[in-house]
Amino acid sequence: MSKAASSSASSSSFEQLGLDLRLLKAVRKIGLEAPTPIQAECVPLALAGKDVLARAPTGSGKTYAYALPLLQKVLSRHDGGGGASSSIEPGVGAVVLVPTRELCQQVHGVMRKLLGHGGAAGVRVVTLATPTDAASLSADAPPDVIIATPSRLRQVCTGSGHAGLLLKLRDSVHTLVVDEADLLLSYGYGDDIAAIGGALPPAVQTLLLSATITPDLDSVRSLFLHNPVTVDIEEDGADQGGGLRQYWLRTSHADKFLVMYALFKLNRIPGRSLIFVNSVDRGFRLKLFLEQFGVSSGVLNCELPLASRWHAIEHFNRGLFDILIATDDPKLMAGRATERLEAGGGGGG
């Protein structure tokens, strides 16, 4: 049964997290002063060998939250240390799955910086994000860490598409990270992730991180996680009344519904959202459009009975749906326009 972890930081310094001295040295050189909440929660749990299911907003420091414990296990194996990795065969030690080539490069940069500043540049970290990346791989000299999109990793796991290259992960991998898990599924990597699951050890330690945790993730959770500890980090300022944000994007009229689909289906706007449209008809059309893609919402407009409007607001406040599509009352807006004209002395001349 999963346990819930507190979202408050349990450690005020990196020294309290139990990190290797080489990684502490790297953290100091990089200039990280104190762990963020996601780092303070995840690093000790990962070092203790726990599976972790973490929800944290973009920009909260998730990459360091999994890179530090992952690299510590890799360094321990290089040193010949004991622990869970001592019974694992030499080979690829850790796999990080991310949805895009750009994120592959970003995570690679973080890990190379940690290793370089820590004096452990001999640890080999590679990316698999483009068709040519696999050319640097060798089954006889596998890297310590692979950062990949699921489709590229699947190719080298199954030996397809790269002159029969086959990296055997089942006997060597001790850590799997599934980063931006919600996006991985939204980008259509479900089949690739399932195939990768069959190529990994059944008891691999897994860290699954996502900006949102929805039922869509159930398939990935059941495939990789074993009695995970849940870490839930709220948006900064969410409990101080500073969580309200307004988004503005210039787009053509024809593309507006497509933009709405992309923002909400890919979970790019965290929390609950209030959308204003300029007509009752357009509000209902937007609701029906989003529902075609499994995005639930409610509508609020002047044509609904009062009881229905209260019902929509109550459901929105209780979190039964996260999107409320609202329309201004045209009579009220017309009245305000008249008031402005009268206040400006708009008489004939």
Side-chain angles (χ1 to χ4, degrees):
M1 182 176 179
S2 299
K3 296 175 290 183
S6 168
S7 64
S8 61
S10 58
S11 300
S12 58
S13 70
F14 284 100
E15 285 76 9
Q16 295 176 300
L17 298 182
L19 290 170
D20 185 285
L21 291 177
R22 288 165 289 187
L23 293 175
L24 287 175
K25 173 184 174 183
V27 164
R28 287 193 292 267
K29 285 191 174 183
I30 291 170
L32 301 179
E33 297 180 356
T36 65
I38 186 66
Q39 294 160 8
E41 294 283 1
C42 280
V43 171
L45 291 170
L47 291 178
K50 304 288 187 179
D51 279 13
V52 176
L53 173 62
R55 183 182 75 88
T58 301
S60 59
K62 286 184 288 187
T63 303
Y64 283 102
Y66 65 74
L68 287 166
L70 179 155
L71 292 177
Q72 179 142 326
K73 292 180 72 174
V74 170
L75 290 171
S76 177
R77 189 164 72 168
H78 266 248
D79 297 338
S85 62
S86 62
S87 60
I88 299 175
E89 296 295 326
V92 178
V95 169
V96 180
L97 296 179
V98 296
T100 65
R101 176 174 59 186
E102 291 75 19
L103 193 52
C104 275
Q105 295 167 345
Q106 177 183 321
V107 175
H108 181 267
V110 167
M111 290 194 180
R112 291 312 314 164
K113 189 180 295 185
L114 285 169
L115 292 168
H117 285 311
V123 174
R124 189 173 172 220
V125 180
V126 302
T127 61
L128 291 178
T130 68
T132 59
D133 287 344
S136 63
L137 294 178
S138 168
D140 297 327
D144 297 288
V145 182
I146 292 179
I147 307 163
T149 59
S151 59
R152 297 299 176 196
L153 183 63
R154 181 183 183 180
Q155 289 176 328
V156 298
C157 286
T158 61
S160 63
H162 295 291
L165 172 66
L166 179 62
L167 286 181
K168 296 181 180 180
L169 304 179
R170 182 172 288 275
D171 297 328
S172 63
V173 173
H174 52 69
T175 305
L176 169 68
V177 175
V178 183
D179 193 9
E180 301 288 359
D182 49 352
L183 288 185
L184 285 170
L185 294 180
S186 297
Y187 285 11
Y189 286 125
D191 291 342
D192 297 315
I193 292 172
I196 291 168
L200 295 174
V204 62
Q205 182 187 8
T206 301
L207 312 178
L208 189 152
L209 302 98
S210 180
T212 60
I213 297 179
T214 66
D216 293 340
L217 295 180
D218 287 347
S219 59
V220 180
R221 294 167 64 174
S222 61
L223 180 63
F224 294 119
L225 295 174
H226 307 280
N227 192 28
V229 178
T230 300
V231 175
D232 196 353
I233 305 298
E234 298 292 341
E235 283 274 9
D236 290 343
D239 55 353
Q240 285 87 28
L244 180 63
R245 299 181 181 180
Q246 179 176 320
Y247 294 86
W248 184 87
L249 177 66
R250 184 184 297 277
T251 184
S252 67
H253 183 78
D255 290 338
K256 286 184 178 180
F257 278 17
L258 178 60
V259 170
M260 289 290 101
Y261 159 77
L263 289 175
F264 292 111
K265 187 63 178 177
L266 300 181
N267 299 310
R268 292 298 83 194
I269 298 181
R272 283 174 285 178
S273 300
L274 181 61
I275 304 173
F276 287 99
V277 295
N278 59 8
S279 72
V280 172
D281 176 66
R282 190 162 183 84
F284 282 115
R285 286 174 56 202
L286 177 58
K287 173 181 170 60
L288 292 173
F289 176 81
L290 293 175
E291 285 182 348
Q292 292 182 65
F293 302 100
V295 180
S296 61
S297 63
V299 293
L300 183 66
N301 60 60
C302 62
E303 294 186 1
L304 293 172
L306 181 60
S308 297
R309 281 179 268 175
W310 276 115
H311 184 73
I313 293 172
E314 287 177 354
H315 279 208
F316 182 64
N317 289 337
R318 289 164 54 193
L320 298 182
F321 50 79
D322 292 330
I323 301 169
L324 185 61
I325 303 168
T327 310
D328 287 324
D329 185 337
K331 295 179 180 179
L332 179 61
M333 297 304 294
R336 288 178 179 172
T338 301
E339 289 175 1
R340 285 195 296 268
L341 286 173
E342 291 175 348

